[in-house]
Amino acid sequence: MNMVTFGTLSQSAAFVAGLLAMVLLLTGMMRNDLRFIEAGRRVLIGVAVFTSMAAFALAWLFMNDNFQVEYVASYSDRALPLFYKATAFWAGQKGSLLFWAWVLSLYIALVAWNTRKETRMKNTPYIYLILAGTVSFFLLLLTTISSPFALLSFTPRDGQGLNPMLQNPGMIFHPPTLFLGYIGFTIPFAYAIAALISGRLDPDWLKKTRRWNILSWIFLTIGIILGGQWAYVELGWGGFWAWDPVENASFIPWLVSTAFIHTAIIQERRNIMKVWNMSLIALTFLTCIFGTYLVRSGILQSVHDFGATGLGGYFLVFMVVVALGSIILIAESYSHLRTRHSLESLLSRESTFLFNNVILLAIAFSTLFGTVFPLISEMVTGNKLSVGEPFFNQVNTPLFLLLLLITGLCPLISWRKASPDNLKKNFMLPFGLALVGGSTLAALGIREFYPLTAFTLAIFVSATILLEFIGGARARKKLTGEGLIVAFPRVIWKLRRRYGGYIVHFGVVLMVVGITGSTAFKQEKEATLEKGQSMDIGNYQLTYNDFTTFQDRNRTVYAATLGVVKNGKPAGDVMTERRYYINADQPTTEVSLRVTPLEDLYLTMPMIGKNHEITIRAAVNPLLFWGWIGSGLMVLGAVMAIIPAGTRRRST
């Protein structure tokens, strides 16, 4: 048996196993027979085994240059480095669909294993059934419409190669992490729907899926960050986010899931907002599927999509089924989800969480509206009109600033109801620091409204977070008698869920600083230079010193070396390149970066003349370094928040 047949049969076996699991689970539930449910659970693990075999087969075909396989011939060639041959697996639509089904099947197997002693519980069979149905949907598309193992009628001597823009380390990790995030939200969705069907609406499903929620959020965050980093260093336009439809499709579920993570805390503490949380988790899953639909439907133009793949209609139907099913189930359970408790005061921490949710969803809605506006305009006017970056910035920037303000206010307000004395005591210091910081920035020349407001709010939020850390350390010192230096790390580790959240918030503050600095104070300039000539930008002088040509693996490289002088002092050399890849029609422009905490010097070489005169496009992006640091802190804080608490020692 060759590997194509092996992969095709494995993929088909996975689909059959998915259907078999559904039949067994339904039979077990109808007959109330645990033997069938247990069999269905075991078959779900079998789905993961078969899907893993299919994934192995496709990877093997890439590694062995089997160009009779249409998918391999489309995304690889003999000259492609081994590393990128492995990552070409998910470079196209068919492979990424198999990757999705594979990861989902592994997640499901993990759930099936972890719940092996819970099959008697009323909601467990429903969880299995929803997961089996979801993975079977993806396997159905793979086996009937979009198989990565389809063969060409001939065997080409070489493949078409991988898009040069995808031959970047960022693209190795960006798609998988994004998929891991998208796919992970299937698990909490399954638990939530199972709770609605079975009537087990206690907070148990919420507690069991908390780590799934946050872990999926972490992967989605990493995926978005890596996508921004890839755009910054690969696309050569000097930015990291362009409100592209596919970028937006990843950002929308991130916003909704962020809202859910916050209000899930309220439900855990106060047992309220059950309807809201059910709606949010369903919406998170739906927006993840929407992102998949957008990439595969071809309805919108993006540098990231797969074009019209013929799968858009299937995903649309799947989304409609999920949306209607969720609405009906939530409506039917509404009376059971309602609670007698409610928010006691608008001046409470619970209220700030609610305001936080409203703003996050408003940003998600405006982003969704701007993304699908071309479709709306086409339906109404017959012309596909799109909205650009100014629309998103104009609508979302005030909302982001409001969200930052809420982030700072939240820790200062008590749970349930804040008293005037409490507000006065907690607000004075951070408010004073923000006032002094904002006034200082204004005196230094930052007078534009949005940058000045963003930096002032960043000071305010940082102060509130710092006070939380200091207050925690002091409380531990008082309780244990430890010194502040010892108490500080110990209280953070002891209450890592709480302080992990604050670290995430501080990461958001740094991201705001980086994004504001690099957009509001960006400098750009373009010039054509001959050897020995110079150009100035900001505090930099760039001198064209040398030009070289060389062969590097599957590409020919044309490189220019420029000497950098900053504030009149030599600051080394930088090299920027244009690369011509084998099997690629267009050259790529490689970015040269000189990164410091204060600013990035960003250079590209869009043109080379006959006599090696070069066109240099230069930019100075202030403070962007802190944006990347902030994104790392967001991930670090979230990881801290899901580390399990240690087992308490038994008292003797």
Side-chain angles (χ1 to χ4, degrees):
M1 183 187 298
N2 63 37
M3 198 54 78
V4 175
T5 308
F6 178 75
T8 306
L9 289 177
S10 300
Q11 193 173 257
S12 301
F15 175 54
V16 172
L19 293 180
L20 178 61
M22 292 174 69
V23 170
L24 289 168
L25 290 165
L26 282 170
T27 306
M29 285 187 279
M30 290 169 66
R31 295 185 176 183
N32 198 21
D33 191 331
L34 279 177
R35 292 174 303 170
F36 284 95
I37 292 170
E38 177 59 24
R41 187 189 72 81
R42 289 171 184 266
V43 173
L44 277 177
I45 295 174
V47 174
V49 173
F50 288 126
T51 316
S52 299
M53 289 161 60
F56 170 79
L58 185 60
W60 192 93
L61 292 168
F62 267 108
M63 292 298 177
N64 289 277
D65 295 331
N66 189 329
F67 298 124
Q68 194 183 4
V69 178
E70 180 266 338
Y71 185 70
V72 176
S74 300
Y75 294 96
S76 182
D77 59 25
R78 296 186 190 283
L80 191 67
L82 195 64
F83 198 50
Y84 290 118
K85 282 184 181 177
T87 60
F89 186 118
W90 50 77
Q93 188 279 127
K94 294 178 179 178
S96 66
L97 199 64
L98 176 57
F99 186 80
W100 187 298
W102 178 38
V103 173
L104 179 56
S105 70
L106 294 176
Y107 280 174
I108 292 171
L110 189 59
V111 171
W113 176 259
N114 286 338
T115 55
R116 62 191 181 282
K117 296 179 181 176
E118 299 175 6
T119 49
R120 290 179 181 275
M121 294 176 69
K122 193 176 176 183
N123 61 334
T124 305
Y126 293 106
I127 296 169
Y128 296 156
L129 186 62
I130 293 159
L131 293 174
T134 306
V135 75
S136 296
F137 168 73
F138 282 91
L139 290 167
L140 170 69
L141 298 180
L142 282 165
T143 51
T144 58
I145 302 167
S146 187
S147 173
F149 300 103
L151 296 176
L152 295 168
S153 58
F154 64 101
T155 304
R157 296 184 62 182
D158 201 356
Q160 297 174 23
L162 186 65
N163 185 332
M165 288 196 298
L166 302 182
Q167 296 182 44
N168 176 284
M171 287 305 288
I172 296 169
F173 303 106
H174 162 60
T177 48
L178 212 54
F179 288 150
L180 287 168
Y182 279 149
I183 302 163
F185 285 116
T186 310
I187 308 300
F189 171 75
Y191 270 82
I193 296 298
L196 288 170
I197 297 173
S198 65
R200 283 205 59 187
L201 297 170
D202 56 78
D204 185 59
W205 75 271
L206 204 60
K207 290 175 184 172
K208 287 184 175 174
T209 58
R210 177 180 167 269
R211 288 196 175 88
W212 279 106
N213 282 320
I214 298 179
L215 191 64
S216 304
W217 183 90
I218 290 171
F219 281 127
L220 197 54
T221 304
I222 294 172
I224 292 172
I225 292 166
L226 290 177
Q229 175 69 16
W230 169 78
Y232 188 57
V233 302
E234 190 63 35
L235 297 184
W237 58 278
F240 47 86
W241 189 265
W243 297 104
D244 176 274
V246 175
E247 289 177 345
N248 295 347
S250 64
F251 190 45
I252 293 167
W254 186 89
L255 290 165
V256 180
S257 60
T258 304
F260 172 72
I261 287 170
H262 282 85
T263 46
I265 297 171
I266 301 292
Q267 185 173 340
E268 281 186 51
R269 291 183 66 100
R270 300 287 314 282
N271 199 28
I272 57 177
M273 303 184 80
K274 292 180 179 177
V275 178
W276 183 259
N277 281 329
M278 281 290 182
S279 305
L280 282 183
I281 194 60
L283 194 58
T284 300
F285 181 66
L286 266 174
T287 51
C288 289
I289 299 297
F290 172 74
T292 311
Y293 162 72
L294 206 60
V295 173
R296 290 170 170 81
S297 63
I299 58 170
L300 296 172
Q301 298 299 313
S302 166
V303 296
H304 306 280
D305 70 9
F306 297 126
T309 62
L311 298 179
Y314 296 92
F315 277 101
L316 194 59
V317 170
F318 186 70
M319 278 196 297
V320 170
V321 170
V322 170
L324 288 177
S326 302
I327 291 169
I328 291 169
L329 286 170
I330 292 172
E332 285 183 345
S333 304
Y334 184 74
S335 59
H336 300 290
L337 290 168
R338 287 184 62 190
T339 57
R340 288 176 297 175
H341 306 289
S342 60
L343 295 179
E344 295 179 19
S345 168
L346 284 177
L347 277 177
S348 64
R349 191 170 294 189
E350 294 92 322
S351 294
T352 62
F353 276 61
L354 185 59
F355 292 140
N356 150 301
N357 262 232
V358 171
I359 297 167
L360 283 166
L361 293 185
I363 298 171
F365 176 77
S366 67
T367 305
L368 177 65
F369 178 76
T371 304
V372 300
F373 183 77
L375 303 178
I376 298 171
S377 68
E378 189 175 28
M379 283 190 288
V380 176
T381 66
N383 296 317
K384 191 175 275 189
L385 304 174
S386 60
V387 296
E389 196 173 338
F391 165 80
F392 292 102
N393 290 338
Q394 197 167 358
V395 175
N396 286 342
T397 301
L399 292 172
F400 277 123
L401 292 179
L402 199 53
L403 186 65
L404 189 61
L405 175 64
I406 297 292
T407 306
L409 292 176
C410 181
L412 302 177
I413 301 178
S414 304
W415 292 98
R416 293 180 181 272
K417 188 176 181 180
S419 65
D421 287 343
N422 166 264
L423 291 175
K424 185 179 176 183
K425 177 185 172 187
N426 293 342
F427 269 80
M428 287 295 284
L429 185 56
F431 181 76
L433 287 172
L435 194 64
V436 171
S439 302
T440 306
L441 291 171
L444 291 172
I446 299 176
R447 308 280 171 79
E448 291 181 41
F449 176 74
Y450 281 134
L452 181 59
T453 305
F455 288 140
T456 304
L457 287 175
I459 295 169
F460 174 67
V461 180
S462 300
T464 62
I465 294 171
L466 184 62
L467 287 176
E468 282 295 314
F469 278 90
I470 293 173
R474 282 180 173 170
R476 184 176 173 90
K477 178 189 173 188
K478 190 176 179 181
L479 190 68
T480 63
E482 296 169 346
L484 266 180
I485 294 175
V486 177
F488 189 76
R490 285 187 175 175
V491 75
I492 292 172
W493 183 248
K494 179 80 175 174
L495 303 174
R496 48 190 172 274
R497 178 176 175 181
R498 176 182 176 184
Y499 287 102
Y502 287 134
I503 290 172
V504 173
H505 288 176
F506 187 60
V508 172
V509 169
L510 290 184
M511 285 200 77
V512 168
V513 170
I515 292 170
T516 304
S518 62
T519 52
F521 304 106
K522 182 174 189 169
Q523 298 176 68
E524 295 178 282
K525 193 172 184 181
E526 184 173 306
T528 299
L529 305 175
E530 295 180 357
K531 275 189 182 178
Q533 289 185 323
S534 301
M535 65 180 287
D536 296 326
I537 179 168
N539 296 323
Y540 294 93
Q541 183 182 66
L542 308 171
T543 303
Y544 176 23
N545 288 334
D546 196 15
F547 188 90
T548 55
T549 306
F550 56 92
Q551 195 69 31
D552 181 17
R553 291 177 290 182
N554 61 337
R555 62 203 177 213
T556 303
V557 180
Y558 297 85
T561 304
L562 295 98
V564 180
V565 174
K566 184 181 181 185
N567 295 324
K569 296 179 181 178
D573 293 337
V574 292
M575 180 183 284
T576 181
E577 301 176 356
R578 278 178 76 77
R579 296 176 178 176
Y580 291 77
Y581 285 81
I582 295 171
N583 289 329
D585 297 329
Q586 298 292 328
T588 63
T589 301
E590 295 302 311
V591 174
S592 173
L593 265 177
R594 184 177 183 278
V595 179
T596 68
L598 193 61
E599 62 197 9
D600 288 6
L601 175 62
Y602 185 100
L603 302 177
T604 57
M605 183 170 57
M607 290 184 65
I608 301 172
K610 291 181 180 177
N611 299 313
H612 292 168
E613 65 272 22
I614 58 172
T615 298
I616 291 292
R617 191 173 293 158
V620 175
N621 297 322
L623 302 176
L624 187 56
F625 172 84
W626 296 105
W628 302 122
I629 295 292
S631 61
L633 282 179
M634 288 172 67
V635 173
L636 174 68
V639 170
M640 272 183 63
I642 58 170
I643 294 175
T647 307
R648 290 182 181 178
R649 292 179 183 174
R650 288 182 180 177
S651 57
T652 55

